[in-house]
Amino acid sequence: MILTCPQCATRYQADASKFPASGRNVRCAKCSHVWHQEAPAPEPEAASDIIAFETPPPPAAPESPAPRPTAFAPNPVIAREVEVPVPKPRWPARLAVASGWVGLVAIVLVIGWAAVSFRQQIAAVWPQSSSLYAALGLKTNASGIDIQDVAYRRSMEAGQSVLAVTGRLTNTTSRELPVPQIRVALIDDDRHELYHWTFVPSVMTLRPGQTASFVTRLTNPPAGARQFELRFARAGE
């Protein structure tokens, strides 16, 4: 049989044979509440053809003292709440990663813009960078001096052909720079160099932003020359 404590509703499994017809007192093992538990109702007997003679009831026995309540201590069925961990949102971590990538891209773009915008200054301080800029198709001037307004003119002087090359030199930096020698090369239609020479401009140094003109002449240039190239001479030329 199943007993239920009227105080705390704890349920117990008990042996029905231990309960007399008059019932008995029991105590809850959980809350110590004592109550009188009636015996379970007997199962109805099957009908019988035998007629039983009514006999007088036996004399009532003296009432025995109430039995001491017995505590039943089976395993009570106790319901417990289980804490289910709630997963934390992951969007703050994703937002931090995205912000880091955006910052990295911004830094790379700023460095690239500065490298292109200030390539003249970078090439002046670090001449080896000129080859890298040239590979990227960006014109640089490692010397810090620009050659501008270059032109040529052919004329006859004293019965000889004279080629005159003119232009201007400009210091584009913020410091005074020495003026290197200038190299002129004459080239034919097949891009072959026929002749070249170097000359020293009329000024030795240029202050920041200063401009100076130059002119160089060559008597009797090669007849096959169709164009010329002008640049600063390298060491040993």
Side-chain angles (χ1 to χ4, degrees):
M1 61 182 295
I2 296 177
L3 304 182
T4 303
C5 176
Q7 184 71 21
C8 65
T10 302
R11 305 180 67 190
Y12 301 92
Q13 182 72 33
D15 187 359
S17 63
K18 294 183 179 181
F19 287 79
S22 58
R24 64 186 300 179
N25 291 341
V26 293
R27 183 177 61 193
C28 178
K30 182 178 181 183
C31 66
S32 300
H33 176 68
V34 178
W35 76 94
H36 183 77
Q37 179 65 45
E38 300 290 341
E43 296 181 1
E45 296 181 357
S48 175
D49 295 333
I50 301 175
I51 300 176
F53 291 94
E54 185 177 353
T55 58
E63 189 175 349
S64 58
R68 296 180 61 187
T70 304
F72 291 89
N75 293 330
V77 180
I78 302 175
R80 296 182 181 178
E81 294 183 358
V82 180
E83 245 184 68
V84 179
V86 179
K88 296 182 179 180
R90 299 181 60 186
W91 64 264
R94 295 179 179 177
L95 181 60
V97 173
S99 300
W101 279 109
V102 171
L104 179 60
V105 172
I107 292 173
V108 172
L109 291 177
V110 170
I111 293 176
W113 172 83
V116 173
S117 300
F118 300 99
R119 62 183 181 275
Q120 294 297 139
Q121 292 83 344
I122 295 174
V125 176
W126 184 28
Q128 292 84 353
S129 62
S130 299
S131 57
L132 176 60
Y133 284 115
L136 297 175
L138 299 173
K139 184 180 179 182
T140 58
N141 183 4
S143 66
I145 300 178
D146 279 349
I147 303 176
Q148 303 170 344
D149 301 332
V150 177
Y152 73 95
R153 180 174 56 86
R154 291 179 180 268
S155 61
M156 296 296 294
E157 296 181 7
Q160 294 182 331
S161 175
V162 177
L163 174 65
V165 180
T166 60
R168 291 187 303 112
L169 302 176
T170 302
N171 184 352
T172 60
T173 69
S174 58
R175 65 184 188 281
E176 187 173 0
L177 295 176
V179 179
Q181 292 186 353
I182 299 177
R183 182 181 189 273
V184 184
L186 301 180
I187 301 171
D188 63 10
D189 290 335
D190 296 327
R191 303 294 300 172
H192 295 148
E193 184 178 302
L194 302 178
Y195 183 79
H196 76 270
W197 76 96
T198 60
F199 68 96
V200 178
S202 58
V203 293
M204 300 298 295
T205 62
L206 286 176
R207 295 187 302 274
Q210 183 182 0
T211 298
S213 300
F214 66 85
V215 59
T216 180
R217 298 170 179 270
L218 177 65
T219 303
N220 295 325
R226 294 294 180 268
Q227 53 185 323
F228 68 94
E229 290 182 352
L230 188 145
R231 60 174 172 79
F232 292 112
R234 302 187 182 95
E237 288 184 333

